[in-house]
Amino acid sequence: MSSTAVQAREVSLWRNAVVVAYAASGLAFASWVSRLPAIRDGLSLTPGTVGLLLLCMTAGSFLSVSASGLIVLRLGSRRTIRTGSIMVGCGLLLAGFGTSVLSSPVAVAAGLAVVGLGTASWNTASNVEGAAVERAIGRHIMPRLHGSFSLGTVAGAGLGAWAAGAGVPVVWHLAAAGLVVAGSVTTAARWLRADVTPAERRAPYRPDNFEDPSTGPIPVIRSGSDGAGEAPLDNKRKIAQAWRDRRTLLLGVMVLGLALAEGAAGDWVALALADGHHQSDAAGAAGYGLFVTFMTIGRFAGTVVLDRFGRVPVMRWCSAMAVLGLALFVFAPAPWLAYAALAVWGLGASLGFPVGMSAAADDPAKAAARVSVVSTIGYGAFLCGPPLLGLLAEHVGILHSLLAVMAVLVASFLLSPVARKLP
């Protein structure tokens, strides 16, 4: 086999391994989210206590994502992804055991905290790998990688809806999901290569007409160089500089609104359909599946849409559609309209994360640190917002608490120009 064919095969395996990492993360998330009504019923929780339960996962996630830049720079993306997937698998098992066997909110909270600790740094490391493999391939693939996460959530939501309808105990469902997640990611991680592939490498089969992708690759900066011929900065200094960069912070705020729209749907759609629109638990899980299905469609279509219209118009349309879909869902007079609204809401929320990661990576020499900052802000909203909505729901109800997300989406709309590609 020629060296060109060998290199092409290596890059193909690398890309497939990154797809597995994204998809497994989505499967893990949707598995426990889709069983949230069963967890609530099994533990006799109110919306406020559900919010507090989610806050435990948020605390672990926020701690992990805040340190994710340092973790990835220290351990490398491969080891971070492997370790995170194993932690998530164990956390799912503990959450299921706490629900079905112990009937203990404390045990479930501990399990979700472990899930949060593993997931956040794992997702940041996946963005590093995704942007690096994009450089090697020489094509726009970041939206589709995030689409793989969405495919994982579709599969997880579908299995969750089936498990809820069939009366499968939460412990068996989450234990099986945890085993699949940890096993698939640790196996696929052997082909991850961002830690060993030079930043300047290009795949030999790269298209001749490829110019300046809409997603910015993250180079791996080896010791002795920071990408500009200078002595490398200390890892903490790199992160600190990224936190002081105005454009990076504004990108984080832009992503924040769309991430909150996605996170609120993940944690509350099933319950909102069950309590606010009087649907069954299985129908609530199916509604979340509909949301993630259309979010997946938006992400796989995102490459073409971004190439044709550019980041700024696409971000404006996404923000506007998210507002429209959310408003329709809250005020829908009939269940069928609420389900239609979920489709619009899903399309609107689809491209916030991938475009934010791409824009943060426009300057390759500073991309890893800036991606970690935008990830911290975005995932912070994704994780912290939904539990706070639970506390608000104690006073205004689950459906009307979702209206708070609309105010943040307005900020995302107004900040869309910050996603414009750097010259």
Side-chain angles (χ1 to χ4, degrees):
M1 185 181 295
S2 68
S3 61
T4 298
V6 170
Q7 291 173 0
R9 182 176 180 274
E10 289 177 351
V11 172
S12 179
L13 289 171
W14 181 12
R15 178 203 61 207
N16 294 341
V18 177
V19 168
V20 170
Y22 274 91
S25 180
L27 176 65
F29 175 75
S31 293
W32 71 264
V33 165
S34 64
R35 298 310 302 272
L36 197 54
I39 293 173
R40 178 201 58 184
D41 294 342
L43 300 176
S44 301
L45 302 177
T46 66
T49 51
V50 170
L52 291 174
L53 191 68
L54 297 178
L55 199 58
C56 295
M57 192 203 74
T58 297
S61 298
F62 198 72
L63 176 63
S64 180
V65 77
S66 298
S68 62
L70 294 174
I71 292 171
V72 173
L73 288 170
R74 175 75 179 215
L75 299 180
S77 54
R78 177 189 294 178
R79 289 176 63 190
T80 302
I81 289 170
R82 272 182 169 160
T83 303
S85 69
I86 293 171
M87 291 179 67
V88 168
C90 294
L92 288 174
L93 175 60
L94 179 56
F97 193 77
T99 300
S100 300
V101 179
L102 300 178
S103 297
S104 168
V106 174
V108 176
L112 292 181
V114 174
V115 170
L117 284 169
T119 299
S121 290
W122 167 12
N123 286 341
T124 297
S126 294
N127 285 321
V128 172
E129 285 285 344
V133 75
E134 183 175 65
R135 173 183 289 271
I137 292 176
R139 293 199 309 265
H140 313 103
I141 64 168
M142 188 67 86
R144 291 180 180 176
L145 290 176
H146 282 261
S148 299
F149 172 89
S150 297
L151 282 177
T153 62
V154 171
L159 290 172
W162 171 82
V168 176
V170 174
V171 62
W172 293 116
H173 175 205
L174 296 189
L179 181 62
V180 170
V181 166
S184 62
V185 174
T186 53
T187 301
R190 61 183 295 187
W191 289 291
L192 298 177
R193 296 181 50 192
D195 298 331
V196 298
T197 300
E200 62 276 350
R201 176 171 180 162
R202 301 279 186 167
Y205 58 97
R206 171 179 183 271
D208 293 335
N209 62 352
F210 173 76
E211 294 180 359
D212 226 12
S214 64
T215 55
I218 300 175
V220 178
I221 307 299
R222 311 311 304 170
S223 60
S225 171
D226 68 353
E230 302 172 359
L233 290 171
D234 176 79
N235 288 345
K236 293 182 180 179
R237 287 180 59 200
K238 291 178 182 178
I239 301 297
Q241 285 186 352
W243 275 105
R244 291 194 296 267
D245 181 72
R246 180 176 179 272
R247 178 177 181 265
T248 301
L249 293 177
L250 291 177
L251 278 171
V253 176
M254 183 198 75
V255 171
L256 184 152
L258 292 162
L260 180 56
E262 180 181 348
D267 286 350
W268 292 110
V269 156
L271 288 176
L273 284 169
D275 295 352
H277 291 293
H278 310 295
Q279 302 297 293
S280 67
D281 286 354
Y288 175 63
L290 178 67
F291 172 86
V292 294
T293 296
F294 276 84
M295 192 166 66
T296 303
I297 292 171
R299 285 178 169 170
F300 277 95
T303 293
V304 176
V305 174
L306 286 166
D307 286 344
R308 181 169 182 179
F309 299 106
R311 292 177 186 164
V312 176
V314 170
M315 284 297 92
R316 284 175 174 157
W317 275 103
C318 282
S319 301
M321 289 180 67
V323 169
L324 175 62
L326 204 156
L328 284 174
F329 180 78
V330 172
F331 296 111
W336 71 265
L337 187 56
Y339 284 96
L342 287 173
V344 179
W345 184 356
L347 287 173
S350 63
L351 294 178
F353 262 115
V355 171
M357 298 303 106
S358 300
D362 277 345
D363 184 348
K366 301 176 181 177
R370 289 180 175 176
V371 164
S372 73
V373 170
V374 175
S375 293
T376 298
I377 298 173
Y379 286 124
F382 183 86
L383 298 164
C384 295
L388 296 178
L389 290 176
L391 299 179
L392 180 61
E394 286 283 330
H395 304 284
V396 299
I398 292 176
L399 277 178
H400 288 92
S401 70
L402 296 173
L403 294 176
V405 180
M406 295 174 61
V408 190
L409 285 169
V410 172
S412 296
F413 178 88
L414 296 175
L415 287 173
S416 296
V418 79
R420 185 173 290 109
K421 189 166 181 66
L422 293 178

